[in-house]
Amino acid sequence: MRSTFPADGSLNAELRAADVNDVNEAVEAAERAWRDPQWRGLVPHQRAAVLYRVSDLINQQLETLAQLQTRDNGKPLAETRGLVASAAATARYFAAACEVLEGELPTQRNSEVMTLSQYQPLGVIAAITPWNSPIASEMQKVAPALAAGNAVILKPAEATPLMALKLAELFEQAGLPAGLLSVLPGKGSVIGEALARHPLVKKISFTGGTGTGRHLAHIAAEKLIPTSLELGGKSPTIVLEDADLEQAARGICYGIFSSAGQACIAGSRLFVHRSLYQPLLTRLCELAGGLRLGDPRQPGVHMGPLINDKHRQSVAAYVALARQEGGRVLIGGEAPADPQLADGSYYLPTIIDGLSNDARVCQEEIFGPVLVRCRSTMSSSWSPWPTIRSTAWPPASGAAISRAPWRWRSSWRPAPSGSTPTRHSRFPRRSAALSRAAWDGKKGCTASRPICNRKACIWR
């Protein structure tokens, strides 16, 4: 298999793709490793020490790792530096959570009996990650699993294997015993499938497309094992009539055009109060037209390429569909004409107007730099939820923009997640059960519980 630079198609590396035999070998080694007293006998703060060392190693190599991730998936360095720093912080967070992982001592119901609940590792965890934020999403799966005492088989996206391999190297340098973390690059339909079905795999943690997530959930249900799924989203931004227009426009552009729109939380649908409709769209087009596309390694570049040409064709097909459905492309809607960008998979920032919320491009995840302004009869008393929840991909996040706190509170009160976002904030909600694939949204001393078995011990 080949890893290429999305900005110009040049070769990053040639690798041998894993096969089913590699899956069996890695899982069997992982099963032996997590049961080995060398690992299983460690108390939590000793496991935490490995994660602290990994965090330090990442911070020491931050610029090198950011450059590697930019080569891997084409994000600008300003973004990849943040993702690398996030990975270091995640390792440190779960190291601290590991140190305070607690059991429970329920209230006694019999004076002669005492019951203690302990949390023990599940065993071998299959972690399957996407290509849009490699090192950050990989650490979000690996760190809590290892903190809880498990072993991890990491299957990176076929398009971006380099960061996962480097991460495994850093864990080895930090002293993680052999077998506890293996990386298997290759096709998801081969490696992911074999991992999910392997009888020794006791949990599946997946971030990626909703269709694949649904398939893995069926496999897990057949095996009666838990899953953590972080899937697609179709996220709205709602601009109320009292919003600061400039702040709203800049926030909307950041929400959809950062990462070239390749994020499940990208604000891809826009609902605007009719009093701000025309001036806001005018300003959005000005800002989108001023974004600089180019080599993501260069300073001042706002948007890099899409992951590959196949994905660019998918985004272009959605824009063509929008035109067929009656949408007006206000800006973008094509690959850039600049000959210096011809070898990369670039696509211009695109804004589409004139479609109702039931159009396919408003219902399906595009995963690219395409913003659709949805027609609505939005008034001061309008509640967004009946409209924005009516999509095949539920909102992965959302933003309500208003000057008055009571306005955004009332706008978002019906949120099924039970949480209310702060002004301009995004609240996590995936289209499947868990908010971050490995830790179930829990914090503090409960953070690693979803990747543990709860065991009751009774004394008489």
Side-chain angles (χ1 to χ4, degrees):
M1 58 183 291
R2 293 162 58 90
S3 165
T4 57
F5 184 29
D8 60 15
S10 59
L11 183 67
N12 290 330
E14 289 187 326
L15 304 91
R16 186 184 75 83
D19 57 25
V20 174
N21 292 329
D22 295 317
V23 171
N24 294 332
E25 181 181 347
V27 172
E28 289 166 6
E31 178 71 12
R32 292 191 299 270
W34 85 267
R35 291 186 180 277
D36 191 319
Q38 181 186 4
W39 179 249
R40 195 167 188 178
L42 296 181
V43 292
H45 76 269
Q46 292 173 315
R47 293 198 301 270
V50 174
L51 293 173
Y52 282 128
R53 287 196 291 269
V54 166
S55 178
D56 291 339
L57 287 169
I58 291 173
N59 281 323
Q60 290 166 15
Q61 302 177 42
L62 191 148
E63 187 62 25
T64 300
L65 293 171
Q67 292 275 356
L68 180 62
Q69 175 139 335
T70 292
R71 289 284 313 187
D72 212 14
N73 76 344
K75 282 192 175 185
L77 275 172
E79 293 188 38
T80 58
R81 289 184 184 113
L83 291 169
V84 172
S86 171
T90 298
R92 188 163 294 275
Y93 174 87
F94 282 104
C98 175
E99 293 191 82
V100 292
L101 183 62
E102 299 171 349
E104 295 176 357
L105 188 64
T107 302
Q108 285 184 264
R109 300 184 182 274
N110 184 314
S111 60
E112 297 180 357
V113 176
M114 182 176 70
T115 302
L116 171 67
S117 290
Q118 291 183 322
Y119 290 89
Q120 298 185 345
L122 287 169
V124 181
I125 310 296
I128 305 172
T129 57
W131 44 257
N132 58 330
S133 300
I135 192 170
S137 58
E138 286 155 3
M139 186 63 86
Q140 287 163 0
K141 297 182 186 301
V142 171
L146 293 177
N150 299 284
V152 182
I153 311 297
L154 178 57
K155 161 62 182 75
E158 186 179 359
T160 54
L162 302 184
M163 293 307 297
L165 293 166
K166 184 62 178 179
L167 190 61
E169 180 183 319
L170 294 175
F171 269 100
E172 184 178 13
Q173 293 174 16
L176 186 71
L180 287 168
L181 175 59
S182 294
V183 177
L184 299 178
K187 286 188 174 295
S189 58
V190 176
I191 306 305
E193 183 83 6
L195 275 174
R197 295 190 180 278
H198 199 290
L200 291 178
V201 170
K202 300 304 181 185
K203 179 166 183 171
I204 302 168
S205 178
F206 171 77
T207 300
T210 301
T212 304
R214 185 179 292 113
H215 175 66
L216 292 173
H218 280 292
I219 295 174
E222 292 171 359
K223 293 175 62 179
L224 297 178
I225 63 171
T227 61
S228 295
L229 305 174
E230 184 187 3
L231 308 177
K234 193 66 179 175
S235 304
T237 300
I238 300 169
V239 183
L240 304 181
E241 76 275 18
D242 63 341
D244 181 303
L245 190 143
E246 182 65 19
Q247 189 177 18
R250 290 183 177 276
I252 291 163
C253 281
Y254 179 80
I256 183 60
F257 298 133
S258 60
S259 301
Q262 300 170 116
C264 59
I265 61 171
S268 54
R269 288 183 296 157
L270 176 62
F271 297 87
V272 186
H273 191 277
R274 52 177 166 255
S275 65
L276 290 180
Y277 162 67
Q278 193 57 57
L280 181 60
L281 282 188
T282 299
R283 184 59 179 141
L284 285 172
C285 289
E286 291 172 355
L287 291 173
L291 294 177
R292 180 183 172 194
L293 275 67
D295 187 327
R297 298 168 298 182
Q298 299 302 315
V301 168
H302 300 117
M303 219 174 84
L306 299 177
I307 186 65
N308 53 41
D309 190 61
K310 179 181 178 180
H311 185 57
R312 179 170 65 174
Q313 291 175 25
S314 172
V315 172
Y318 269 111
V319 174
L321 175 62
R323 287 189 169 105
Q324 293 171 16
E325 293 182 311
R328 294 183 298 118
V329 176
L330 304 180
I331 191 169
E334 60 186 359
D338 186 346
Q340 294 186 343
L341 305 180
D343 293 332
S345 50
Y346 292 91
Y347 200 81
L348 290 172
T350 299
I351 300 175
I352 299 172
D353 188 27
L355 291 173
S356 64
N357 190 57
D358 56 5
R360 274 187 58 192
V361 292
C362 298
Q363 291 286 310
E364 299 177 13
E365 187 175 38
I366 299 173
F367 221 65
V370 179
L371 174 68
V372 182
R373 204 284 299 187
C374 298
R375 286 199 309 263
S376 71
T377 55
M378 187 171 170
S379 62
S380 299
S381 60
W382 180 74
S383 176
W385 276 102
T387 303
I388 67 174
R389 292 293 297 178
S390 60
T391 63
W393 279 258
S397 69
I401 303 176
S402 170
R403 294 178 189 267
W406 66 268
R407 295 297 310 285
W408 55 255
R409 284 185 63 88
S410 61
S411 294
W412 291 98
R413 189 166 292 146
S417 64
S419 62
T420 303
T422 57
R423 183 169 181 248
H424 283 210
S425 73
R426 301 188 177 276
F427 64 92
R429 182 67 273 161
R430 307 299 182 222
S431 57
L434 303 183
S435 62
R436 267 298 179 193
W439 71 83
D440 195 17
K442 298 183 183 297
K443 303 296 182 183
C445 62
T446 64
S448 293
R449 286 183 182 177
I451 34 185
C452 300
N453 275 321
R454 185 173 181 176
K455 181 178 180 181
C457 305
I458 300 175
W459 285 269
R460 291 184 180 273

